[in-house]
Amino acid sequence: MSKRNILITGGAGFIGSHVVRLFVNKYPQYNIVNLDKLTYAGNLANLKDIEDRENYFFEKADICDFNKVLEILKKYEINGIIHLAAESHVDRSIKDPFTFAQTNVMGTLSMLQAAKIYWESTPEKYTGKLFYHISTDEVYGSLALTNPEGIESPFTTKASSDHHHAYGTEFFKETNKYQPHSPYSASKASSDHFVRAFHDTYGMPTIVTNCSNNYGPYQFPEKLIPLFINNIRHRKPLPVYGKGENVRDWLFVEDHARAIDLIFHKGRPAETYNIGGFNEWKNIDIVRLLVKTVDRLLGRKENEDANLITFITDRPGHDMRYAIDSRKLQRELGWEPSLQFEEGIEKTVRWYLDNQAWMDNVTSGDYQKYYEEMYKNR
């Protein structure tokens, strides 16, 4: 099928906006529909550069609004869904688990059921259709930190750097059992099960991918990297949980968008693919790298702002280590990260420093007022 009408949910968010931009630019023959509720983390300013394209459409809607979702699927004759819309901040999930269950579980179920009803009503039914669900590595739980100083990683890619370390001998594979520890990861695990159930019960073509931590431009500044870049700039404290020993696998967001593109077009239905950066870093080492990079780019003395680092009480259920084995994706579809982490951090820091107006707009909440006004009469 050459003519695709693709619905991307959460397309005004951090990862979603990069996926929307990639598809709109790369596939002018496709119609790309961005469905977003425009909660605090959704910002159409992220897509200013493509908002006037002929193959781009925006629909303000809640994925939990089943009737509205079904109406949109019919209106645009959607034959592919890339489902990114989710509540994703662990700290928020600890304070408000109901919202996470509602959006991530019931919202996904709403999307699945609407897709089932619409696609089964079409002459070709499920032929040429795909429901692609983006999930997280956090569903797998926590890995042991067995190499506290780090050893050379068993994985090699073109993007390997001097810091290509592993902090343990185990890695998340697609076959790992689910062991979510936070309300956020529990809600994502549940949504993954529903997606697979719709394949097994109804024959819906589905794919699930579980990705590691993303970073890059347009990330809402509640997340570590943009928050700390902004705090260093304004010389505000850098609060680090515990001793900062927790390890995460980091991936540049544009590399994730490339993986989504590849999997959407060439991945095998009913499969799961893990997407990771082969790139483990302790939180404290990332914070130190950010201080060093921001200070250098602002013309300050080296590590001038290291004294901003403060250690705070660890959060409940804080997983020690995430690390993804992406070799299935590498082997089957030829994907691997394109950037070394230091190169990606340099690009990311430069973007936030060069786009202070975007940051000010987001941190003040002004962007929400603007779009509320724009859509209140629609």
Side-chain angles (χ1 to χ4, degrees):
M1 183 186 297
S2 59
K3 183 63 177 176
R4 303 300 302 255
N5 300 318
I6 301 170
L7 180 71
I8 300 176
T9 69
F14 168 45
I15 299 171
S17 62
H18 286 275
V19 176
V20 167
R21 179 179 295 101
L22 175 65
F23 273 69
V24 167
N25 286 330
K26 187 173 178 181
Y27 302 106
Q29 74 276 27
Y30 292 3
N31 289 322
I32 306 300
V33 183
N34 172 10
L35 184 159
D36 202 293
K37 186 181 175 183
L38 297 182
T39 61
Y40 76 93
N43 185 356
L44 287 176
N46 297 354
L47 292 165
K48 272 282 182 200
D49 54 321
I50 57 128
E51 65 183 7
D52 295 325
R53 296 291 176 84
E54 287 185 5
N55 64 331
Y56 171 70
F57 306 87
F58 175 71
E59 291 282 348
K60 185 177 188 293
D62 184 344
I63 57 171
C64 295
D65 186 344
F66 170 80
N67 290 324
K68 182 66 175 174
V69 170
L70 184 58
E71 177 191 311
I72 291 168
L73 295 182
K74 291 176 179 175
K75 176 181 175 181
Y76 294 96
E77 299 181 353
I78 295 297
N79 47 40
I81 293 170
I82 301 176
H83 179 42
L84 284 135
E87 295 283 351
S88 67
H89 192 49
V90 176
D91 288 355
R92 284 180 186 263
S93 82
I94 292 169
K95 293 185 181 114
D96 181 15
F98 279 106
T99 296
F100 281 68
Q102 181 67 29
T103 301
N104 297 352
V105 184
M106 297 307 293
T108 299
L109 183 55
S110 168
M111 293 296 307
L112 286 162
Q113 183 69 356
K116 173 187 178 293
I117 288 172
Y118 172 57
W119 287 344
E120 287 186 351
S121 75
T122 62
E124 62 277 12
K125 304 209 180 293
Y126 287 127
T127 304
K129 310 294 201 303
L130 180 64
F131 190 106
Y132 177 179
H133 175 66
I134 281 79
S135 189
T136 172
D137 57 357
E138 298 191 36
V139 297
Y140 297 121
S142 185
L143 295 169
L145 186 68
T146 54
N147 305 313
E149 301 310 312
I151 59 168
E152 189 171 340
S153 172
F155 309 124
T156 56
T157 72
K158 290 176 197 159
S160 296
S161 68
D162 293 339
H163 187 95
H164 205 53
H165 291 163
Y167 289 92
T169 53
E170 291 183 286
F171 300 87
F172 294 140
K173 294 184 172 69
E174 288 83 357
T175 51
N176 275 39
K177 70 177 182 178
Y178 276 25
Q179 292 184 298
H181 293 144
S182 71
Y184 162 60
S185 55
S187 69
K188 289 299 287 185
S190 178
S191 67
D192 295 3
H193 290 320
F194 269 108
V195 173
R196 294 188 179 104
F198 266 65
H199 170 269
D200 296 348
T201 304
Y202 307 112
M204 181 185 289
T206 63
I207 289 177
V208 175
T209 55
N210 300 84
C211 191
S212 61
N213 283 30
N214 281 218
Y215 71 98
Y218 299 109
Q219 188 170 27
F220 192 81
E222 66 185 352
K223 298 296 178 86
L224 187 147
I225 288 177
L227 174 67
F228 279 26
I229 292 170
N230 201 42
N231 282 11
I232 296 163
R233 177 175 202 150
H234 296 291
R235 295 203 155 114
K236 294 179 179 175
L238 307 176
V240 178
Y241 282 125
K243 296 178 182 175
E245 297 289 307
N246 302 72
V247 172
R248 297 293 180 262
D249 178 11
W250 291 89
L251 179 66
F252 191 62
V253 65
E254 290 177 11
D255 281 335
H256 188 190
R258 279 195 309 106
I260 290 171
D261 174 24
L262 192 60
I263 293 164
F264 180 83
H265 288 94
K266 296 186 177 176
R268 290 182 290 137
E271 286 294 321
T272 298
Y273 296 93
N274 280 353
I275 309 170
F278 301 106
N279 179 44
E280 293 180 55
W281 281 70
K282 287 183 185 177
N283 286 348
I284 188 61
D285 291 336
I286 287 189
V287 175
R288 287 173 180 145
L289 178 63
L290 288 172
V291 169
K292 187 176 169 185
T293 307
V294 174
D295 279 350
R296 174 170 50 79
L297 293 178
L298 288 177
R300 298 174 182 172
K301 290 178 189 168
E302 188 173 353
N303 291 322
E304 185 175 337
D305 293 303
N307 61 336
L308 296 172
I309 298 171
T310 57
F311 295 96
I312 60 173
T313 305
D314 211 352
R315 77 174 170 216
H318 196 178
D319 292 334
M320 181 50 71
R321 174 176 171 256
Y322 302 148
I324 276 188
D325 180 347
S326 295
R327 285 179 296 178
K328 176 180 175 180
L329 180 56
Q330 201 173 25
R331 184 175 63 250
E332 290 192 12
L333 299 181
W335 175 91
E336 61 179 41
S338 68
L339 287 180
Q340 295 182 5
F341 187 62
E342 292 87 341
E343 186 184 353
I345 284 291
E346 182 91 7
K347 279 182 75 166
T348 301
V349 171
R350 281 187 186 279
W351 188 88
Y352 284 104
L353 295 181
D354 290 344
N355 289 273
Q356 188 61 38
W358 179 91
M359 178 67 82
D360 291 342
N361 200 25
V362 169
T363 51
S364 71
D366 286 347
Y367 71 102
Q368 282 187 298
K369 296 177 197 134
Y370 173 77
Y371 289 113
E372 276 166 16
E373 191 66 28
M374 181 188 293
Y375 286 100
K376 74 178 180 183
N377 296 318
R378 288 181 57 167

